[in-house]
Amino acid sequence: MLALTALLLGSVVVDLLYLGRINGRALLYRATVLGCLLVMREVHARPSTPLGRGTQYVSLVLSSTCIVGLVHEMGGLDSPFVILLPIMPMSIALLFGQNRRATFISSAMGLLGTGVLVLLWHRPLPEASTWLMLMLGVGVLADVLCRQALYVHQAEQQMRLERARRETLEALAQSEHRRAQSEKLAIVGRLASGVAHEVSNPLAYVGSNVDFVREELLAAASLDREALAEVLSETRVGVQHIQQIVADLKGFSRMDTNETAECALSDVVADAMKLASLKLRHVALLRTDVPVDLPHVVAVRQRLVQVVLNLLVNAADVLESRGGHAGEIWVTGRIEGANVVLLVEDNGPGFAPHVLPRLFEAFFTTKGPERGTGLGLNLSRELVEQFGGALTASNRPEGGARLRITLPIPEELLSSRVAVMGSA
């Protein structure tokens, strides 16, 4: 814009050199062109509106007309100002590269103005054809520049959108990771009393055995090696039991991978039961019926373990709060059509009618703040849905709650299963 302004104002010096005077009408044309270009730049910098686009196109037509008038006033096609005719469309293509319509209007006005000058100055047909072909070529070149600028702008916009989308997804993944970790730690906290009990028992006899060995070593003249070996063996079993509990809790609370893979529901349930037993052993009898030959599902195994564990601990909390009745929890796996279904049921009071519709809402809980965050079932449903499945809740006809996990069987496993059943 500054270069074009300098060119138009600097052309006043050419008036003095070319005409020996300043042409008032030519000066008016220059001022009008500059005014129109300033208006178009201001309109272009603001959000697009019908009035703004109309103002821009009127200014463009007026400025192109003034350019033609300036060339005519200064001597027509023989004047040095004729260079402004091809400069105008090229300038519009560079200044407003995303607006092909503006470039087309400027090129069309330049071609039309050149035709008018050819007629007014009575140019022969070969010269007239040359000028018209030149302006037509300039118009095509200006359109090519405009399209290239538009493609570059669209590519940059797409890159910005892609970068923003990637950053959003990364932030969402980090938030999901932190939320899953927080809920894992909350579950571990709810298992704390069971962990203390499971650790205190082996610790008690480990300490007792150590004291016995110490006393034997200090007091006995002759050692009963077989008795000491048996005591140390029992001690080792206790230490290994404590190590296993710690390892299970550590492995559960750490998120090692986010990648999905085929996994067996029987293994998932076994891992969840190992951790849930710390609480269930003193609350309810756990019965499982998950065949090992169930088709595998595609999921992040640790996260699926977290879902099953959360359902088991929730059931244990309900049965524990009821008290005074033999609690039972059933975990059942089966095939239904193209899906594998896992049921977690209990013989507790079930879900109240006003609770069931809100069960999976974030932060909704019927427990006290020390017993839950209100995020466990909400997060569990989201995790199951990430694997293409669904988590639903209902009441058992016999009484008690029922949580149902439905996961699709992978297409290749489903096809092979159908083929085997067909051949049988």
Side-chain angles (χ1 to χ4, degrees):
M1 182 65 73
L2 291 176
L4 189 59
T5 301
L7 178 63
L8 289 172
L9 292 179
S11 62
V12 175
V13 179
V14 180
D15 286 4
L16 296 174
L17 297 175
Y18 190 71
L19 300 177
R21 60 184 174 83
I22 296 178
N23 188 311
R25 190 177 297 175
L27 189 59
L28 178 62
Y29 284 147
R30 292 187 184 95
T32 304
V33 171
L34 286 176
C36 291
L37 290 177
L38 290 174
V39 169
M40 284 189 289
R41 187 181 68 174
E42 290 299 319
V43 171
H44 182 73
R46 298 178 181 180
S48 179
T49 63
L51 178 61
R53 289 192 296 270
T55 302
Q56 188 178 42
Y57 296 147
V58 169
S59 300
L60 185 57
V61 171
L62 181 58
S63 62
S64 299
T65 302
C66 289
I67 290 289
V68 175
L70 177 62
V71 173
H72 176 68
E73 193 67 28
M74 300 305 294
L77 296 176
D78 292 328
S79 74
F81 292 89
V82 72
I83 194 175
L84 294 177
L85 292 175
I87 283 179
M88 188 65 179
M90 300 295 290
S91 300
I92 296 299
L94 293 175
L95 294 174
F96 313 109
Q98 302 169 29
N99 192 339
R100 292 184 66 192
R101 186 175 297 177
T103 303
F104 175 78
I105 291 175
S106 178
S107 301
M109 290 298 299
L111 183 62
L112 180 61
T114 301
V116 171
L117 291 174
V118 165
L119 293 176
L120 290 177
W121 291 89
H122 307 289
R123 294 298 183 182
L125 183 60
E127 184 180 349
S129 301
T130 301
W131 277 109
L132 293 175
M133 291 297 294
L134 174 64
M135 290 306 298
L136 182 62
V138 168
V140 172
L141 180 59
D143 183 66
V144 171
L145 289 176
C146 184
R147 281 187 296 173
Q148 290 299 321
L150 183 60
Y151 292 155
V152 170
H153 173 76
Q154 290 175 344
E156 292 177 349
Q157 186 71 13
Q158 185 65 30
M159 288 178 61
R160 284 193 292 269
L161 290 175
E162 182 63 26
R163 183 165 56 250
R165 187 184 70 86
R166 186 169 59 251
E167 291 174 353
T168 301
L169 289 176
E170 290 175 356
L172 183 62
Q174 292 176 358
S175 175
E176 181 70 21
H177 173 79
R178 287 192 295 269
R179 191 156 68 101
Q181 288 293 80
S182 298
E183 186 60 27
K184 279 189 171 186
L185 294 177
I187 295 176
V188 172
R190 291 157 67 187
L191 295 173
S193 61
V195 173
H197 182 80
E198 289 297 317
V199 171
S200 62
N201 281 344
L203 269 181
Y205 70 77
V206 165
S208 177
N209 288 352
V210 170
D211 291 339
F212 172 77
V213 171
R214 180 176 179 274
E215 292 172 0
E216 287 294 314
L217 290 175
L218 292 176
S222 60
L223 298 177
D224 186 348
R225 295 182 179 276
E226 291 185 3
L228 289 179
E230 184 178 352
V231 169
L232 290 176
S233 178
E234 291 179 357
T235 303
R236 181 177 179 81
V237 171
V239 171
Q240 289 176 339
H241 183 54
I242 295 172
Q243 288 177 333
Q244 187 61 50
I245 294 173
V246 174
D248 290 341
L249 290 172
K250 184 178 179 181
F252 171 69
S253 62
R254 185 181 64 248
M255 184 71 71
D256 292 328
T257 179
N258 292 327
E259 296 182 0
T260 58
E262 288 189 8
C263 57
L265 276 184
S266 57
D267 295 336
V268 169
V269 172
D271 289 346
M273 286 174 54
K274 188 185 301 182
L275 291 162
S277 64
L278 299 173
K279 184 178 184 67
L280 297 179
R281 186 173 301 173
H282 313 289
V283 176
L285 177 63
L286 178 61
R287 303 179 185 276
T288 62
D289 181 16
V290 183
V292 294
D293 59 349
L294 281 178
H296 288 191
V297 296
V298 176
V300 179
R301 176 169 169 170
Q302 285 185 334
R303 293 191 172 183
L304 203 52
V305 169
Q306 179 176 352
V307 171
V308 178
L309 176 61
N310 187 59
L311 300 185
L312 292 174
V313 173
N314 281 348
D317 285 342
V318 172
L319 295 174
E320 185 179 27
S321 64
R322 184 186 59 172
H325 189 275
E328 292 188 54
I329 299 175
W330 300 274
V331 181
T332 309
R334 60 178 182 240
I335 299 175
E336 292 186 2
N339 300 306
V340 176
V341 174
L342 187 70
L343 300 177
V344 179
E345 303 170 297
D346 62 64
N347 63 343
F351 301 113
H354 70 280
V355 170
L356 198 54
R358 302 186 58 193
L359 195 61
F360 296 102
E361 291 183 12
F363 302 108
F364 175 78
T365 179
T366 58
K367 307 173 185 177
E370 74 284 353
R371 300 294 295 273
T373 62
L375 290 174
L377 286 177
N378 176 266
L379 177 62
S380 295
R381 184 177 63 175
E382 290 183 11
L383 292 177
V384 172
E385 288 176 350
Q386 288 178 8
F387 310 141
L391 174 61
T392 58
S394 61
N395 287 318
R396 298 172 64 234
E398 306 87 350
R402 171 182 291 161
L403 278 299
R404 176 189 177 97
I405 300 174
T406 304
L407 293 168
I409 301 174
E411 188 65 32
E412 59 275 12
L413 296 180
L414 186 62
S415 300
S416 60
R417 180 178 177 82
V418 172
V420 170
M421 293 177 62
S423 61

